[in-house]
Amino acid sequence: MSLLEVLNQWQAEARAIRRRIHRHPELGFEEKATQALVVELLTAYGVDEICTDFAETGVVAVIHGKLGPGRRLGLRADMDALPIDEENTFEHRSGCAGKMHACGHDGHTTMLLMAARYLALHRDFKGSAVLFFQPAEEGVGGAERMIAEGALERYPVDACFALHNMPGIPAGHFAFREGPIMASSDRLFIRVRGNSGHAGLPHKTRDPLLVATHIYQGIQGLVSRTFSPLEPVVISVTQIHGGETTNAIADEAHLSGTFRTLSEDTRRNLIQRLETLVPNLARAFEMEADFRLGPVSHPPTVNSPAETALAVRAAGAVAGAEGVDGNTEPLMGSEDFAHFLGRVPGCYGFIGNGDHEPGCSLGLHNKKYDFNDAIIPAGAAYFVTLVRQMD
């Protein structure tokens, strides 16, 4: 029986697992029930080692092949949900107000669990598979924390791979690219300090909202007049706050937003320019302003050449050559798997969640999004094939 035939036989169980996780979403570093379910299933599948020492709710599992020594391949799935109120009405909708699996991490976890089941049962590969079930991908630093706490020191791997579902790509098709595939992500926070007073006597005040608007325009000018149009840079100031009433000049104004690049050099250059622009614009108006980054940043997600070729080959064995795009466009969203790829070579790619299928083409983070259970066997088969291809 072929790999996909075996995995298709497990589809009903896989769907039940995925929907169970969907019904009980948990935010970053809160994935206690998800962690317990993953450990329970991995134990039942007979993996060789299970560790829950990292990032509060993370799980690492090891499966050894029976075909002799070889490389250690890392496979990663994210487990956390988003702080979104789900608007679906199906039976497996979220049972937790204000929490929802709107990005498909329930499906990613299930795909890796099905791969673990197959690998532990058959062990028809060399070396070892190391499975990272990672918490807190959604902007709160789960990958960085697992690595900082020594996950890659205790469980070193020669390469690491991850998949993310993508609405708009036909179900079960794959997409990869060598080099940057996802952008860096930083959050910017700016505080402008002025001098409040009566709105009818503005000359006796220092209006921080005036400086805030100049800073906003200056930031937009950084993109259009400083960086090459061939080098993607996105800066979005999404909030400006200041003032308390209609007849008083504020004493402070606050700006916040995000910026993204596909190059770490460009990211560092942009940070340096913001550190220069913000205080000097304020100083021109006899005020003060400071710029800071948020607590969590993601570098660009950059796929290494050899591992991208390996990923394309593995996906082709599952979906056929016509079902694999090896040169997909990069996205300006971010992914904290970038921290893994900053330590070991590897490849991050996409599996299609559906293009025109009803209910399967809604965008990620949409309140009516749902993961397409039909793609679980293909995703699991991709992970298994990667492990089998390693020597």
Side-chain angles (χ1 to χ4, degrees), residues 82-119:
L82 283 156
I84 292 175
D85 277 310
E86 184 163 4
E87 292 185 353
N88 288 310
T89 57
F90 44 59
E91 185 179 356
H92 63 276
R93 67 188 179 276
S94 170
C96 304
K99 300 177 185 180
M100 176 192 175
H101 272 292
C103 204
H105 297 184
D106 49 347
H108 304 163
T109 298
T110 306
M111 290 191 299
L112 191 53
L113 283 168
M114 291 299 100
R117 179 179 178 181
Y118 187 95
L119 292 168

Side-chain angles (χ1 to χ4, degrees), residues 33 156 164 190 202 219 230 272 311 325-326 348 367:
H164 200 294
I190 297 168
I219 286 174
L230 301 179
Q272 184 178 46
D325 178 0
Y348 180 85
K367 291 185 175 185

Side-chain angles (χ1 to χ4, degrees), residues 154-188:
R154 195 187 307 180
Y155 298 98
V157 294
D158 297 294
C160 201
F161 296 81
L163 270 184
H164 200 294
N165 80 95
M166 186 55 62
I169 297 176
H173 286 209
F174 295 84
F176 308 94
R177 80 176 280 114
E178 179 184 322
I181 190 168
M182 298 283 279
S184 65
S185 174
D186 288 275
R187 298 171 190 176
L188 65 90

Side-chain angles (χ1 to χ4, degrees), residues 237-259:
V237 176
T238 56
Q239 298 181 73
I240 300 179
H241 298 282
E244 299 173 2
T245 187
T246 58
N247 63 347
I249 301 295
D251 58 353
E252 286 192 354
H254 299 263
L255 301 88
S256 58
T258 182
F259 59 90

Side-chain angles (χ1 to χ4, degrees), residues 76 134-137 141-148 336-340:
R76 175 272 210 168
Q134 180 210 306
E137 187 280 328
E144 188 174 21
R145 183 163 170 184
M146 284 191 82
I147 293 168
D336 79 349
F337 186 66
H339 290 288
F340 280 91

Side-chain angles (χ1 to χ4, degrees), residues 59-366:
V59 181
V60 182
V62 181
I63 306 169
H64 301 302
K66 65 182 180 181
L67 301 184
R71 301 174 72 192
R72 293 171 62 90
L73 181 73
L75 304 172
R76 175 272 210 168
D78 37 19
M79 301 190 296
D80 57 324
L82 283 156
I84 292 175
D85 277 310
E86 184 163 4
E87 292 185 353
N88 288 310
T89 57
F90 44 59
E91 185 179 356
H92 63 276
R93 67 188 179 276
S94 170
C96 304
K99 300 177 185 180
M100 176 192 175
H101 272 292
C103 204
H105 297 184
D106 49 347
H108 304 163
T109 298
T110 306
M111 290 191 299
L112 191 53
L113 283 168
M114 291 299 100
R117 179 179 178 181
Y118 187 95
L119 292 168
L121 179 64
H122 294 274
R123 299 181 182 269
D124 51 352
F125 59 94
K126 294 181 179 180
S128 301
V130 181
L131 283 51
F132 299 97
F133 291 87
Q134 180 210 306
E137 187 280 328
E138 293 288 356
V140 287
E144 188 174 21
R145 183 163 170 184
M146 284 191 82
I147 293 168
E149 292 178 4
L152 289 176
E153 279 74 28
R154 195 187 307 180
Y155 298 98
V157 294
D158 297 294
C160 201
F161 296 81
L163 270 184
H164 200 294
N165 80 95
M166 186 55 62
I169 297 176
H173 286 209
F174 295 84
F176 308 94
R177 80 176 280 114
E178 179 184 322
I181 190 168
M182 298 283 279
S184 65
S185 174
D186 288 275
R187 298 171 190 176
L188 65 90
F189 297 90
I190 297 168
R191 180 177 64 164
V192 183
R193 293 181 297 281
N195 185 21
S196 61
H198 198 290
L201 302 169
H203 58 291
K204 294 186 176 182
T205 72
R206 294 289 181 267
D207 184 359
L209 287 172
L210 175 64
V211 171
T213 61
H214 279 278
I215 289 175
Y216 176 87
Q217 292 176 335
I219 286 174
Q220 302 309 313
L222 284 180
V223 176
S224 63
R225 291 295 180 267
T226 303
F227 295 95
S228 166
L230 301 179
E231 177 64 43
V233 178
V234 173
I235 310 180
S236 295
V237 176
T238 56
Q239 298 181 73
I240 300 179
H241 298 282
E244 299 173 2
T245 187
T246 58
N247 63 347
I249 301 295
D251 58 353
E252 286 192 354
H254 299 263
L255 301 88
S256 58
T258 182
F259 59 90
R260 289 137 193 277
T261 76
L262 290 177
S263 160
E264 186 61 24
D265 286 343
T266 301
R267 174 180 174 269
R268 285 193 294 264
N269 185 6
L270 178 55
I271 292 171
Q272 184 178 46
R273 289 178 180 275
L274 287 169
E275 290 172 339
T276 300
L277 172 78
V278 168
N280 283 304
L281 266 177
R283 196 171 294 120
F285 290 89
E286 299 182 340
M287 284 178 259
E288 296 180 348
D290 55 72
F291 159 79
R292 65 179 176 85
L293 297 176
V296 176
S297 296
H298 298 155
T301 304
V302 182
N303 291 333
S304 51
E307 285 67 31
T308 304
L310 191 70
V312 169
R313 188 163 73 248
V318 174
E322 69 282 358
V324 182
D325 178 0
N327 191 30
T328 192
E329 290 293 319
L331 298 180
M332 297 308 288
S334 65
E335 168 57 61
D336 79 349
F337 186 66
H339 290 288
F340 280 91
L341 295 182
R343 297 288 295 272
V344 296
C347 182
Y348 180 85
F350 304 116
I351 181 170
N353 199 57
D355 190 4
H356 301 295
E357 297 92 330
C360 295
S361 57
L362 290 172
L364 302 174
H365 296 208
N366 187 294

